């Protein structure tokens, strides 16, 4: 097969073919020819001679996964256009132990569980899989359902987006175990060590630990006895008080009924006002984020406690004094001792700043660090690492957390949450166990929660704190694994995972070929963020792309944030000359791991201050000294320095990409990322970029124009809905007659409204009456950021509104489809548990289809159906953040015939080629279950690239499957191919 390369020394593009003498014949893009002879091979690169001149050429030698770059010749383009695009091996493709990786450490990764936090467990386990699995670590995945049944699952299923997704697919995709005994015997025969990533009940309360200990299985984490004490919030507080730690006064409900009289006395003895005094009500044994509320007064406290008991969340409830005036913090503790020796080291703590909730959204005005604030992007919480405390206070927190870790007998890793209370507390209600060491120059330190399985999602606090001292995702995960292995001398630990650990997954800037000469890597600039309402999804997408591509040893990947405009910035994206002046931040590793775009910008600004630099450097050096080299800090330079953020303009960013021959991976959703503006700027500068060009992007961003561009395809079974475009000012001035006019023109009872040009989920709503239309127009005209549930007549989720407000709105008939539901109980005898129920009267189903390829030869993936759980339109959370729902890829034959799926894919390819799409994109449509005819909704030129998005699900159904790393790498390759083809033509 022809391989296409570009020689580093000349920049000339060559097509490389085989020859009988073992060499390689070459044809260049300018018509020259030459001959290659292999002279030696070093690691992933081979040394070759071209007409007597020696150079390093990736891709011929060790493995295809080491190829550095694909470029294109005229002959190569022809071959690629025929659909013969080679799938690169190894980069994301899972190969089992008996095929390639003998001698690797065998790790059993367990996720799921019965708790309310099992969705976080799935996200954590997916992240662990991505960053831990390597040539010397073989990860096998297992899922525990709510019934405490174990299943062996393929690694591809780790990209399912929700527990519902797992539960629905489990019987058809997984190996079930008849009993815990059978499961344990299986682990004994197939694994060296177990890595449980289970949150809450059975994961952190000693349940899974006791099970593994009963079989003598090595595992990562704290033992069963210590876990049982540490997990129970009340018991842990009692134990800490015994050892002199300050604790918040608390009252325990442990007999299934609230002792109102006893609670009243507790209020009085702690000087808490019976009517207005604030307390925290939380389950004692349900994890750190489940069921926690703030109650004002005795009656509300009793009500909230009884609700927890009645809902069965826990049989023990803790009512705890509210930490009035306190500043919340959280700190990760690593154990770097060897064997059974405990030597805990606390990383750089994080201050958690929480802002008031929105009562209109059903939230408490008194903000707490609940599930949503902890795990989903929100401006209601901000993280400061290190905390805005004095260095003395930070060191007191660090030493106290380490002492706690040691006293409670914890192992490997734990996250400790707590409060810094103001000194004035000394004159208020007494704190349990207070001792001088709890006091700092800023206040009194109280540890309130212990988490034995910290969240391990890509941007979790664990990775955030580790990155601040130079430790990458792979560094810390392999360190945890290595440390746990030292307790079990019989584990056959590969030298590469020896103790102290050596990390090989750090994405160095250059590798070396013959005689030590550096071989330049292909540079990739990943750009995300922006101004649109989808900017937080863009941050998740860009982070996921960056982290995956970092695993490609032949790429040098750098993350960049396109900063949102300042609040007083009156520039608009239509002012072309001003777009180039937009701010772009070149981000260090640690600054990417934030939860919102605004938080990233604030972090960059903060970490450029001299005082912050000095503070972080001092604390980092201290922590690294305590770690004593037992955790590799691969993010530090040779002289021990951390990379700093850099501020530049978009013009300078493009110039830098041009100077470095970089590919720009566009992950900016909506705004200039999808309307062709960014693409046009890159094209004008000759910079290759992922995705479609500026003309196709501009066309697809305008939903009305998109429909017009494919309206001639109706004879091929490709349709578009009727459309009405109306100016905002006209809608504002109109009355109820506008609703009547719309219904008549569109011939519809319900109407779908959306901005004419914006992202795929922004501002999309179902309107059913004149009042709905008036509410939507008011939200647009007044600049509301969201429309909350309950605003419209029919059920709906949160509607994220466009920014800036559009000048036009697009109205279409709301196409009614019969809901597809997963039946959890018998429904009229038509379906049983775990089956789909679809009435199917209309025969239309909503699907989304990813496309991948070169201009004119796009390939359609299998379509996906997402079973919605809130209203008739998918929210941003449902689409991109793994919030709810079951994803069906491809749809089962009980819903759509296989012939109809094939016809649908063919029609989607026609649409993609007609619209001029290239690289990758996503097309949303309605498909007829019998004929495969489609009604096109829209085309998205920068689709969601979050860890559990449907695009990943679809790529995994390809043969062979495209795992995320190989998928994103192929997108980069396509950008290079498309760019080279344009240069040749």
């Amino acid at each position: 097969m022809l391989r296409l390369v570009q020689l580093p020394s000349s920049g000339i593009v060559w097509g490389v073919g085989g020859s009988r003498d073992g060499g390689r014949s070459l044809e260049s893009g300018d018509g020259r020819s030459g001959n290659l002879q292999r002279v030696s091979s070093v690691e992933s690169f081979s040394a070759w001679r071209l007409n007597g001149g020696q150079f390093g050429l990736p891709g011929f030698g060790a493995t295809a996964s080491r190829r550095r770059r694909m470029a294109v010749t005229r002959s190569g383009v022809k071959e690629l256009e025929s659909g013969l695009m080679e799938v690169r091996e190894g980069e994301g493709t899972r190969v089992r132990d008996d095929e390639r990786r003998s001698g690797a450490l065998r790790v059993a990764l367990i996720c799921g569980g019965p708790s309310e936090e099992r969705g976080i467990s799935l996200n954590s386990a997916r992240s662990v899989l991505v960053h831990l699995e390597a040539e010397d670590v073989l990860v096998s995945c297992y899922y525990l359902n709510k019934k405490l049944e174990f299943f062996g699952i393929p690694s591809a299923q780790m990209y399912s987006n929700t527990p519902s997704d797992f539960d629905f697919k489990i019987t058809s995709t997984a190996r079930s175990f008849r009993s815990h005994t059978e499961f344990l015997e299986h682990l004994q025969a197939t694994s060296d060590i177990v890595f449980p990533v289970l949150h809450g009940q059975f994961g952190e309360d000693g349940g899974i630990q006791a099970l593994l200990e009963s079989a003598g299985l090595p595992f990562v984490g704290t033992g069963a006895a210590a876990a049982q004490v540490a997990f129970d919030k009340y018991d842990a507080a009692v134990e800490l008080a015994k050892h002199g730690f300050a604790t918040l006064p608390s009252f325990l409900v442990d007999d299934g009924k609230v002792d109102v009289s006893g609670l009243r006395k507790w209020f009085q003895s702690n000087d808490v006002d019976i009517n207005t005094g604030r307390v925290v009500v939380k389950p004692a044994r349900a994890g750190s984020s489940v069921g926690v509320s703030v109650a004002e007064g005795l009656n509300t406290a009793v009500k909230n406690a009884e609700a927890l008991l009645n809902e069965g969340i826990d049989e023990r409830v803790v009512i705890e004094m509210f930490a009035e005036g306190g500043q919340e913090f959280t700190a990760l503790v690593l154990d770097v001792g060897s064997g059974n020796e405990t030597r805990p080291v606390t990383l750089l703590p994080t201050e958690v700043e929480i802002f008031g909730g929105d009562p209109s959204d059903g939230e408490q005005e008194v903000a707490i660090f609940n599930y949503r604030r902890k795990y989903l992007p929100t401006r209601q919480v901000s993280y400061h690492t290190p905390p805005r405390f004095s260095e003395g206070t930070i060191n007191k927190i660090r030493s106290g957390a380490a002492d706690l870790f040691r006293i409670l007998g914890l192992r490997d890793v734990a996250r400790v949450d707590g409060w810094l209370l103001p000194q004035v507390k000394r004159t208020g209600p007494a704190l349990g166990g207070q001792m001088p060491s709890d006091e700092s120059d800023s206040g009194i330190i109280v540890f309130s929660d212990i988490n034995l399985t910290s969240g391990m999602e890509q941007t979790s606090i664990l990775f955030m704190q580790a990155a601040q001292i130079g430790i990458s995702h792979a560094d810390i995960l392999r360190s945890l694994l290595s440390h746990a292995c030292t307790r079990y001398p019989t584990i056959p630990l590969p030298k590469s995972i020896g103790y102290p650990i050596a990390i090989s997954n750090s994405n160095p800037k250059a590798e070396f070929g013959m005689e030590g000469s550096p071989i330049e890597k292909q540079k990739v600039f990943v750009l995300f963020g922006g101004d649109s309402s989808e900017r937080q999804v863009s941050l998740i997408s860009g982070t996921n792309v960056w982290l995956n591509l970092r695993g490609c040893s032949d790429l040098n990947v750098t993350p960049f944030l396109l900063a949102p405009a300042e609040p007083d910035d009156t520039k608009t994206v239509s002012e072309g000359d001003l777009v180039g002046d937009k701010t772009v931040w070149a981000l260090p590793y640690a600054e990417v791991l934030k939860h919102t775009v605004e938080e990233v910008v604030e972090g960059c600004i903060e970490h450029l201050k001299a005082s912050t630099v000095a503070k972080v450097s001092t604390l980092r050096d201290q922590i690294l000294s305590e770690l004593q080299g037992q955790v590799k800090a691969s993010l530090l330079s040779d002289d021990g320095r951390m990379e700093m953020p850099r501020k530049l303009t978009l013009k300078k960013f493009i110039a830098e990409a041009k100077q470095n021959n970089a590919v720009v991976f566009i992950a900016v959703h909506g705004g200039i990322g999808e309307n062709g503006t960014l693409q046009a700027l890159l094209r004008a500068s000759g910079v290759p970029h992922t995705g479609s060009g500026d003309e196709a992007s501009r066309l697809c961003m305008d939903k009305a124009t998109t429909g017009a561009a494919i309206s001639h395809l109706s004879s091929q079974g490709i349709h578009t809905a009727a459309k009405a475009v109306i100016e905002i000012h006209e809608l504002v001035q109109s009355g109820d007659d506008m609703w009547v006019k719309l219904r008549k023109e569109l011939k519809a009872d319900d109407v779908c409204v959306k901005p004419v040009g914006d992202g795929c989920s922004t501002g999309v709503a179902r309107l059913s009456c004149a009042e709905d239309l008036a509410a939507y127009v008011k939200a647009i005209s007044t600049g509301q950021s969201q429309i909350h549930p309950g605003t419209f007549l029919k059920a709906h989720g949160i509607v994220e509104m466009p920014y800036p407000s559009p000048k036009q709105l697009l109205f279409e008939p709301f196409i009614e489809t019969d809901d597809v539901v997963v039946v959890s109980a018998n429904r009229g005898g038509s379906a049983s548990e775990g089956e789909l129920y679809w009435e199917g009267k209309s025969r239309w189903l909503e699907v989304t289809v990813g496309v991948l390829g070169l201009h004119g030869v796009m390939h359609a993936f299998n379509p996906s159906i997402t079973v919605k759980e809130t209203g008739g339109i998918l929210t941003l959370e449902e689409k991109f953040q793994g919030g709810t729902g079951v994803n069906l890829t491809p749809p089962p034959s009980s819903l759509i015939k296989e012939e109809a799926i094939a016809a649908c894919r063919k029609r989607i390819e026609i649409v993609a080629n007609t619209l001029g799409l290239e690289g990758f994109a996503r097309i949303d449509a309605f498909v007829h279950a019998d004929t495969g005819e489609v009604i096109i909704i829209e085309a998205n030129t920068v689709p969601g690239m979050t860890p559990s998005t449907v695009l990943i699900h679809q790529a995994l159904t390809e043969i062979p499957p495209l795992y995320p790393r190989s998928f994103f790498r192929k997108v980069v390759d396509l950008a290079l191919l498309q760019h080279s083809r344009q240069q040749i033509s």
Side-chain angles (χ1 to χ4, degrees), residues 13 140 158 257 356 361 578 645 728 796 857:
V13 177
S140 298
M158 293 301 297
K257 184 178 180 181
D361 196 22
L578 298 177
I728 292 292
H796 64 94
V857 284

Side-chain angles (χ1 to χ4, degrees), residues 485-515:
C485 286
T486 65
R487 291 195 297 275
Y488 310 97
T490 59
I491 293 179
L493 196 63
K495 291 182 179 179
S496 56
I497 319 178
Y499 194 91
I501 192 166
I503 304 297
S504 59
N505 190 29
S506 57
N507 191 36
K509 292 184 179 180
E511 293 190 19
F512 294 87
M514 290 295 294
E515 300 177 358

Side-chain angles (χ1 to χ4, degrees), residues 490-761:
T490 59
I491 293 179
L493 196 63
K495 291 182 179 179
S496 56
I497 319 178
Y499 194 91
I501 192 166
I503 304 297
S504 59
N505 190 29
S506 57
N507 191 36
K509 292 184 179 180
E511 293 190 19
F512 294 87
M514 290 295 294
E515 300 177 358
S517 58
I519 299 174
E520 183 185 357
K521 297 185 172 200
Q522 172 63 55
K523 292 182 174 63
V524 180
F525 288 3
V526 182
L527 183 66
F528 46 88
D531 288 307
S532 81
S533 60
E534 293 182 280
R535 62 190 179 278
Q536 313 305 358
V537 177
S538 172
L539 174 59
I540 302 172
S541 290
T543 301
N544 187 45
V545 170
W546 164 67
L547 286 171
N548 271 281
L549 290 180
R550 283 190 86 251
C552 298
S553 60
D554 53 350
L555 297 181
N556 181 10
V557 190
T558 307
F560 290 85
L561 179 84
L562 178 63
E566 296 296 329
D568 59 347
D569 193 344
T570 58
K571 302 172 184 177
T572 64
V573 296
S574 62
E575 297 172 287
D577 293 338
L578 298 177
V579 174
D581 294 329
K582 284 182 170 291
T583 299
V584 173
W585 287 93
L587 301 176
Y589 193 111
E591 293 308 315
V592 185
L593 307 182
K594 302 293 177 68
H595 293 75
T596 67
V597 168
E598 292 78 8
E599 194 180 328
V600 174
V601 174
E602 291 164 4
C604 288
I605 294 171
E606 180 65 29
H607 282 82
L608 286 178
K609 295 178 181 177
S611 57
T612 302
V613 172
K615 181 178 181 179
V616 172
S617 296
T618 300
L619 291 167
R620 180 175 63 243
D621 292 346
Q622 180 181 337
I623 295 169
L624 292 174
S625 175
E626 294 173 15
L627 291 173
Q628 296 182 1
Q630 300 304 307
V631 184
K632 184 174 177 64
S634 65
L635 304 179
L636 298 180
S637 63
D638 292 339
D639 59 359
R641 295 184 181 182
M642 288 282 288
E643 187 180 359
M644 300 294 290
R646 290 189 298 116
K647 186 177 182 180
L648 55 161
T649 63
L650 183 58
K651 285 180 181 176
K652 291 182 179 178
F653 164 80
I654 294 173
E656 196 170 305
K658 176 70 173 177
Q659 182 181 359
N660 285 276
N661 295 316
V663 177
V664 174
F665 199 118
I666 300 176
V668 179
H669 300 309
I672 69 169
E674 286 193 78
N675 67 12
T677 301
L678 181 57
Q679 291 82 356
L681 291 172
L682 293 168
R683 176 178 56 80
S685 297
V687 176
H689 63 83
T690 59
S692 298
D694 50 296
E695 291 185 9
S697 298
R698 190 160 42 249
L699 169 65
C700 293
M701 189 65 159
D702 188 317
K703 297 175 178 67
T705 307
T706 302
I710 58 175
S711 59
H712 65 286
L713 300 176
S714 58
S715 62
Q716 300 182 55
I718 300 168
H719 314 284
T720 61
K723 292 175 172 56
V725 178
I726 304 177
E727 301 285 336
I728 292 292
H729 68 83
E730 185 179 347
L731 288 165
V732 172
Q733 296 170 4
S734 66
D736 291 350
D737 58 325
M738 178 59 74
W739 176 249
V740 176
K741 178 181 176 182
L742 273 173
R743 290 184 59 192
K744 183 177 181 180
E745 181 177 346
L746 298 175
K747 299 178 181 179
D749 292 328
D750 287 7
V751 170
C752 182
V753 62
K754 61 186 78 171
V756 171
D758 215 311
C760 61
S761 298

Side-chain angles (χ1 to χ4, degrees), residues 816-832:
E816 194 77 48
T817 60
D818 298 317
D819 288 338
V820 180
V821 297
V822 177
V823 179
S824 57
N826 286 337
R827 181 170 177 166
S830 60
S832 60

Side-chain angles (χ1 to χ4, degrees), residues 5-6 8 38-48 54-69 88 91 508-515 517-522 552-556 969:
V5 300
Q6 186 171 15
R38 187 192 308 228
V39 294
S40 67
S41 180
V42 178
E43 295 182 353
S44 60
F45 291 90
S46 298
W48 297 76
Q54 185 169 297
F55 61 93
L57 180 63
F60 302 96
T63 64
S65 68
R66 304 298 187 184
R67 290 197 305 269
R68 176 177 55 88
R69 180 180 297 181
R88 64 176 66 242
E91 296 188 352
K509 292 184 179 180
E511 293 190 19
F512 294 87
M514 290 295 294
E515 300 177 358
S517 58
I519 299 174
E520 183 185 357
K521 297 185 172 200
Q522 172 63 55
C552 298
S553 60
D554 53 350
L555 297 181
N556 181 10
R969 179 57 198 265

